Amino acid sequence: MLPVELIKAKRDGRALPPEALQGLVEAYVAGRVPDYQMAAFCMAVFFRGMTAAETSALTQAMLRSGEVLDLSDLPGVKVDKHSTGGVGDKVSLALAPIAAACGVVVPMISGRGLGHTGGTLDKLEAIPGFQVRLPVERFREVLASVGACLIGQTDRLAPADRRLYALRDVTGTVESIPLIASSIMSKKLAEGIDALVLDVKVGSGAFMKRREDAEALARALIAIGQGMGKRVVALLTGMDEPLGRAVGNALEVKEAVELLHDGGPADLREVTFALCAEMVLQAGRAPDLAGALAQVRAVVRDGRAFEKLRQLVEAQGGDAAALLDLGRLPAAEGTLEVTAPAAGAVQAIDAEAIGVAAVALGAGRSRVEDAVDPAVGFTLRKKVGERVQAGEPLATVHFGRRGAEPPARVAERVRRAYQIGAQPPPPAPLLLARLVDPT
């Protein structure tokens, strides 16, 4: 079938056979299908969806577009974590070294910012010199020596997803369960992992705004993974406000370092530790979740996890001294305080609005070719449930020169993202569900 025929078939709601999806992906990677046709196909999928069989076939086609690593010669169980994306989600920066310090082998292929959500690669590149584009051979070497390695997709590993990921970001086709599921699983399965822990975000700052959609995505991911012989567990976690207090690449690196020094915001610690414990359990390093969580806390408390991050940064060409002297990380041109218009308690923070404001500031991308300013972002001085006086700072804007909007306009976006009322709202749980079965 010609690409236009596949687009029309999916536009009209017809299911596509595996060989058609395989051919489309192969032609796209080879350059025989242009971006505008693949964008049209993604939009058709966005509106019409895919069957489970189609989603599995698309995943396998994207997986087979490149090399699938065989890490069986490396001792230890290989476990990765993937987040579906949120605002202020710097979990991977702390999680990988924590899990590695617990004896888990962590091969992690990460992505860049997608829409209003931040990307792990952009955060890592805020560390001077850090290399996310490593050859596969070096990826294996770092895994063997450090126990963890975080890279981006290469021409050899899931190249189809690398191209589609960027295309979806700028064509309004991000929030599609089949496209999200095939994207995640194609690159994760290419890593040569034995097990996968999923952090499926739900809430205003997530791509899945409703819990039922997040559960559907989680079950689709579990089904794909288990169908290919991998152990998969998913945690549904809340994203109705940004995670932690830092939003922006260098700022989030600092907060991850704070966590590895046994500090950091309580919400970030809770989510990070829960996901790390699942990884330790999947790797067989603990008999149960309670034992796994105890290990996680121990390696953070005694400094082994921070030392593992230092080794990781050094192995990937980064300035490890910047982890000890955070002043060596990129710094913003200036700051601007966002103040409360009235006294009360923070009722809500629209996480998506904060993410969009970060993009306007230059911390994310509105186009594939946009450069990211690693220094800019926000420090949230007040979170949901905290009291504030009129004129007291709600957030600090860290601004630069490359933003699409002036700092004052971005600050107004942040101010509108806050809702202030008389009384604090009841606390909302962060860990919403644990799923291990696709049905």
Side-chain angles (χ1 to χ4, degrees), residues 304-365:
R304 280 178 287 166
F306 176 76
E307 173 59 19
K308 190 63 71 172
L309 176 64
R310 192 197 63 76
Q311 295 172 11
L312 174 67
V313 169
E314 191 172 71
Q316 294 194 228
D319 179 9
L323 303 176
L324 297 171
D325 178 8
L326 296 177
R328 297 168 71 110
L329 295 174
E333 295 284 332
T335 61
L336 179 64
E337 298 293 349
V338 179
T339 57
V346 178
Q347 301 288 306
I349 304 173
D350 185 336
E352 182 173 7
I354 295 292
V356 170
V359 173
L361 199 61
R365 298 175 183 83

Side-chain angles (χ1 to χ4, degrees), residues 259-342:
L259 187 155
L260 292 176
H261 285 311
D262 206 17
D267 57 346
L268 177 62
R269 289 172 62 89
E270 182 179 2
V271 172
T272 303
F273 286 6
L275 291 164
C276 282
E278 294 286 356
M279 294 177 72
V280 172
L281 184 65
Q282 292 294 320
R285 308 290 298 187
D288 52 35
L289 276 174
L293 187 58
Q295 286 190 41
V296 167
R297 288 175 172 153
V299 299
V300 171
R301 187 168 52 247
D302 65 18
R304 280 178 287 166
F306 176 76
E307 173 59 19
K308 190 63 71 172
L309 176 64
R310 192 197 63 76
Q311 295 172 11
L312 174 67
V313 169
E314 191 172 71
Q316 294 194 228
D319 179 9
L323 303 176
L324 297 171
D325 178 8
L326 296 177
R328 297 168 71 110
L329 295 174
E333 295 284 332
T335 61
L336 179 64
E337 298 293 349
V338 179
T339 57

Side-chain angles (χ1 to χ4, degrees), residues 16-327:
L16 302 176
E19 59 270 19
L21 292 166
Q22 178 71 35
L24 178 66
V25 170
E26 288 177 355
Y28 180 56
V29 173
R32 297 192 303 273
V33 172
D35 279 349
Y36 60 80
Q37 282 190 308
M38 188 54 81
F41 176 77
C42 289
M43 188 62 75
V45 172
F46 180 90
F47 283 113
R48 290 294 194 171
M50 279 184 158
T51 65
E54 284 181 291
T55 303
S56 178
L58 179 60
T59 303
Q60 295 202 41
M62 292 166 62
L63 175 65
R64 289 197 293 267
S65 70
E67 178 182 352
V68 178
L69 293 181
D70 180 1
L71 302 178
S72 58
D73 59 316
L74 294 180
V77 181
K78 293 81 185 175
V79 187
D80 192 7
K81 184 276 304 184
H82 182 82
S83 168
T84 57
V87 179
D89 181 6
K90 70 284 295 176
V91 166
S92 291
L93 304 182
L95 172 142
I98 292 172
C102 291
V104 184
V105 181
V106 187
M108 186 176 287
I109 298 178
S110 298
R112 298 198 178 276
L114 192 62
H116 66 276
T117 68
T120 297
L121 298 183
D122 298 321
K123 303 180 205 305
L124 290 170
E125 287 181 336
I127 302 171
F130 195 99
Q131 299 298 313
V132 300
R133 292 185 61 84
L134 299 182
V136 170
E137 293 75 18
R138 181 58 182 159
F139 180 64
R140 294 174 62 89
E141 290 172 359
V142 175
L143 276 177
S145 62
V146 179
C149 189
L150 287 74
I151 63 171
Q153 290 142 290
T154 70
D155 292 337
R156 292 170 60 181
L157 297 177
D161 179 61
R162 182 169 57 87
R163 291 190 61 188
L164 274 174
Y165 191 90
L167 188 66
R168 288 167 49 225
D169 187 16
V170 294
T171 57
T173 55
V174 170
E175 300 93 336
S176 163
I177 288 177
L179 296 178
I180 293 173
S182 58
S183 171
I184 292 170
M185 297 306 292
S186 63
K187 61 176 172 274
K188 292 303 175 184
L189 294 171
E191 298 169 343
I193 57 173
D194 301 304
L196 178 63
V197 174
L198 296 163
D199 180 9
V200 181
K201 301 292 188 185
V202 56
S204 72
F207 293 122
M208 302 292 107
K209 311 295 185 189
R210 304 184 307 164
R211 178 164 173 165
E212 52 265 41
D213 293 332
E215 288 191 9
L217 174 59
R219 296 191 189 283
L221 294 165
I222 293 170
I224 292 170
Q226 291 184 353
M228 299 190 72
K230 309 300 180 184
R231 301 190 298 276
V232 184
V233 60
L235 298 185
L236 265 59
T237 66
M239 183 42 70
D240 276 326
E241 67 173 324
L243 187 62
R245 293 183 181 270
V247 178
N249 299 299
L251 296 170
E252 294 187 43
V253 171
K254 293 178 182 179
E255 194 163 76
V257 169
E258 184 182 357
L259 187 155
L260 292 176
H261 285 311
D262 206 17
D267 57 346
L268 177 62
R269 289 172 62 89
E270 182 179 2
V271 172
T272 303
F273 286 6
L275 291 164
C276 282
E278 294 286 356
M279 294 177 72
V280 172
L281 184 65
Q282 292 294 320
R285 308 290 298 187
D288 52 35
L289 276 174
L293 187 58
Q295 286 190 41
V296 167
R297 288 175 172 153
V299 299
V300 171
R301 187 168 52 247
D302 65 18
R304 280 178 287 166
F306 176 76
E307 173 59 19
K308 190 63 71 172
L309 176 64
R310 192 197 63 76
Q311 295 172 11
L312 174 67
V313 169
E314 191 172 71
Q316 294 194 228
D319 179 9
L323 303 176
L324 297 171
D325 178 8
L326 296 177

